[in-house]
Amino acid sequence: MRWPLGELSRLPTALLAAGLAAEGRLDLDRPLADWIGPEELDFDPARLSLRDLLAQRSGLPPQRLAGAYRRPGEPASALRPEDFYLAQPPRLLIQPSALGYALVGRVLERASGKGFAELLKERLAEPLGLRALGAVEEGGLVRAHRRGRPEAPLLARDLAATGLAASAEDLARLLAALTAPEPTLPGRDLLFEPHGAELGFGATAGLGLALSESVVPGTGRLARIQGAYPGFRAELTLALDHGVAVLVLVNAAEGFRVVDRLAGLALDRALGRDPAAREAARRAREELPERIPWPEEARPRAPAPRYATPFGLLRVEGGGERFAAEVFGLRFTASRRADGWYEVRYRLLGLVPLPLEVLRRVVLAPATVGERHLLLAWFSGRVVVLGSALEAPPAAGDGVALLGRWRVTAEDPLLAQLELREAVIERQDGLLTIGYEIPFLVTRLRPRLVLAADPAGLRTHGTAAGLGERLRHGRDEAGEFLEYSGFRLRRVP
């Protein structure tokens, strides 16, 4: 039986690129313009290198969700030039993008003069004896599940990004090659060279992999990648200093927490560690230390009244020692610590404090980084950009004409899983926003993303992973539409 790899498909893709680079047949630092014409993209291909795509710091949108997966018998959805645009400046953030790896696949084909499937067979499958490595196909797949129920099989659009499958035996052979004392794959070690980003705050990525230092003493460097094919979850962890790889595959959509725990336990066993040591290190990392150091690039500042975040508009009242914040309809309080960071608590109806477990491990910090006014978050030992300050309402262009409710009308395999069918564009407090509802426990959250003018229409405003997505307004044979992440929405009368 074969397992859909989802995002783990990027590892074989990165191996192909690294192998060609090691043989001098591909320069990872050449601009994309050497292979990709300007008519194929909605940005200048000279702004990015192949290395930027592979190291997940291109600035391309994280996904183009519509058409990413299809039912057997349905035609594949083609990517258009307008789908490839920069949501964030290049090399600003580390943010995986399926679109970036779709471009990597094109570059590999043009640089080698061979199709992607042929390259995969010639350079990986045949040398390693991987008999089942290839595109996801309808037959011979492990059965997917969601909420405990079997799911019909889905096929993927982008082979290089999410569309490969392999047997467990294949994956074991591939992991053996990745961890062998002497490299058996050309360019293997290029995967583990660290690449940073301007607002990475110490986070690094290899080619197709996230890199970090383990919190468990004696474990050393880790390389990781997670996969989320519909109805499946996967996690690969490489303990680079020990030559050990752990891969966990689960045929259930809700399995991320289980996968992460199983991967940790399996790594303990492989390294001969006491699982209690890892649990103690995990708890210590998640507990808030008395003092959290500030990133060297950041300087404290007073909270801004409003921030644009991937979770929606965050409104702030107060400052100094304590402020209140409201995001997706929920109200939080933040109290300043001695080190300048703010601890966060949730209050039901704005009055009754509730001990949400995740908030015990998060602190916030309004900060200035260069010319940017950001809201930083510290979580489990890492600093990330949560959003950027709204000093003034961003220009919305002709967006006011789009006020009202919009509904997705086309069917797509992801729509049912996302449970998103309708959006509302409204103007409040001088800001143009798009809002929607998502289920959360026994309630529904209501994020409102700030919109700003863009040459193509509108975009979600702000600096953070997940922002910068475009909304395109147009007309077709069915009338007026909005397009977001490839989905078309029609105005609700």
Side-chain angles (χ1 to χ4, degrees):
M1 300 293 286
R2 304 169 76 232
W3 290 81
L5 300 184
E7 285 77 0
L8 267 66
S9 304
R10 300 171 198 178
L11 180 59
T13 302
L15 275 168
L16 293 178
L20 292 171
E23 294 171 0
R25 299 170 58 187
L26 188 65
D27 186 347
L28 302 183
D29 295 308
R30 283 172 61 181
L32 281 189
D34 289 352
W35 300 287
I36 306 291
E39 72 282 356
E40 299 180 70
L41 309 171
D42 203 8
F43 67 93
D44 181 1
R47 297 186 65 184
L48 292 180
S49 69
L50 183 57
R51 188 184 300 275
D52 292 328
L53 299 179
L54 289 162
Q56 306 174 112
R57 58 180 191 180
S58 65
L60 286 162
Q63 296 282 1
R64 182 196 181 276
L65 294 176
Y69 303 100
R70 59 189 171 92
R71 299 175 182 89
E74 294 179 346
S77 172
L79 291 168
R80 307 159 303 175
E82 56 264 36
D83 295 323
F84 295 95
Y85 59 89
L86 297 181
Q88 298 287 344
R91 294 169 289 281
L92 182 71
L93 301 166
I94 294 174
Q95 175 177 259
S97 170
L99 292 170
Y101 267 76
L103 287 180
V104 171
R106 293 186 190 180
V107 171
L108 293 178
E109 291 185 330
R110 295 173 188 182
S112 66
K114 299 178 180 179
F116 185 81
E118 184 181 359
L119 272 176
L120 196 68
K121 179 180 178 181
E122 177 186 291
R123 300 189 62 88
L124 282 181
E126 289 184 347
L128 297 179
L130 312 182
R131 299 186 182 89
L133 178 64
V136 175
E137 297 170 345
E138 182 177 3
L141 291 178
V142 174
R143 191 68 181 268
H145 291 79
R146 183 170 181 267
R147 296 180 179 173
R149 297 178 179 177
E151 291 267 295
L154 296 178
L155 307 182
R157 173 181 57 212
D158 308 318
L159 286 188
T162 55
L164 296 181
S167 66
E169 181 182 4
D170 282 347
L171 293 169
R173 290 176 182 271
L174 180 60
L175 297 185
L178 286 173
T179 55
E182 297 297 328
T184 57
L185 291 171
R188 179 196 69 176
D189 292 344
L190 291 177
L191 299 184
F192 311 125
E193 293 181 356
H195 302 83
E198 184 180 337
L199 295 181
F201 301 118
T204 59
L207 304 187
L209 296 153
L211 302 178
S212 64
E213 191 78 19
S214 174
V215 298
V216 182
T219 303
R221 298 173 301 144
L222 296 178
R224 304 179 73 186
I225 184 170
Q226 292 181 320
Y229 202 89
F232 295 88
R233 294 295 180 261
E235 182 172 318
L236 169 62
T237 301
L238 295 162
L240 299 177
D241 297 334
H242 299 272
V244 170
V246 170
L247 175 65
V248 178
L249 303 168
V250 173
N251 58 332
E254 295 76 33
F256 265 136
R257 183 181 293 272
V258 173
V259 167
D260 188 59
R261 181 166 178 79
L262 286 175
L265 291 172
L267 189 59
D268 288 338
R269 186 175 182 85
L271 298 181
R273 296 187 315 205
D274 180 0
R278 180 181 57 82
E279 285 299 307
R282 180 186 62 80
R283 287 195 299 270
R285 187 181 182 94
E286 291 179 349
E287 288 295 324
L288 293 179
E290 292 185 8
R291 185 170 186 81
I292 297 173
W294 280 72
E296 291 184 7
E297 310 93 325
R299 298 291 179 269
R301 62 160 286 170
R306 297 176 294 195
Y307 290 91
T309 81
F311 310 103
L313 176 65
L314 190 150
R315 305 159 61 90
V316 172
E317 298 174 3
E321 297 302 310
R322 185 182 180 90
F323 67 82
E326 181 180 319
V327 65
F328 43 64
L330 302 180
R331 190 171 178 84
F332 301 82
T333 58
S335 303
R336 183 178 170 126
R337 296 157 37 111
D339 56 9
W341 293 80
Y342 286 79
E343 292 186 6
V344 185
R345 296 292 181 265
Y346 170 58
R347 290 180 176 270
L348 182 64
L349 303 178
L351 300 171
V352 183
L354 291 182
L356 294 183
E357 179 66 22
V358 67
L359 294 183
R360 293 182 57 252
R361 307 193 296 271
V362 177
V363 291
L364 304 179
T368 299
V369 181
E371 299 298 318
R372 301 177 186 274
H373 295 168
L374 305 172
L375 185 63
L376 305 182
W378 181 97
F379 179 75
S380 293
R382 280 197 59 198
V383 176
V384 298
V385 178
L386 192 65
S388 54
L390 280 165
E391 306 290 354
D398 298 327
V400 176
L402 305 179
L403 296 179
R405 292 166 56 206
W406 297 79
R407 176 173 287 271
V408 181
T409 55
E411 289 298 324
D412 185 274
L414 284 182
L415 286 178
Q417 297 191 25
L418 295 173
E419 299 186 39
L420 295 176
R421 298 295 308 208
E422 190 171 289
V424 178
I425 296 180
E426 55 189 338
R427 195 172 184 89
Q428 294 185 4
D429 303 328
L431 296 171
L432 189 70
T433 65
I434 182 168
Y436 53 92
E437 292 188 357
I438 53 176
F440 178 73
L441 299 179
V442 295
T443 185
R444 296 183 72 83
L445 303 182
R446 296 174 175 82
R448 287 197 302 138
L449 296 170
V450 179
L451 297 177
D454 180 85
L458 293 169
R459 72 164 62 221
T460 56
H461 178 74
T463 300
L467 292 176
E469 297 271 2
R470 280 182 174 176
L471 282 85
R472 190 168 66 93
H473 179 232
R475 290 186 176 274
D476 59 13
E477 64 281 357
E480 185 184 24
F481 69 83
L482 271 181
E483 189 172 87
Y484 181 76
S485 197
F487 292 115
R488 289 206 167 183
L489 298 87
R490 306 287 178 184
R491 193 186 290 274
V492 177

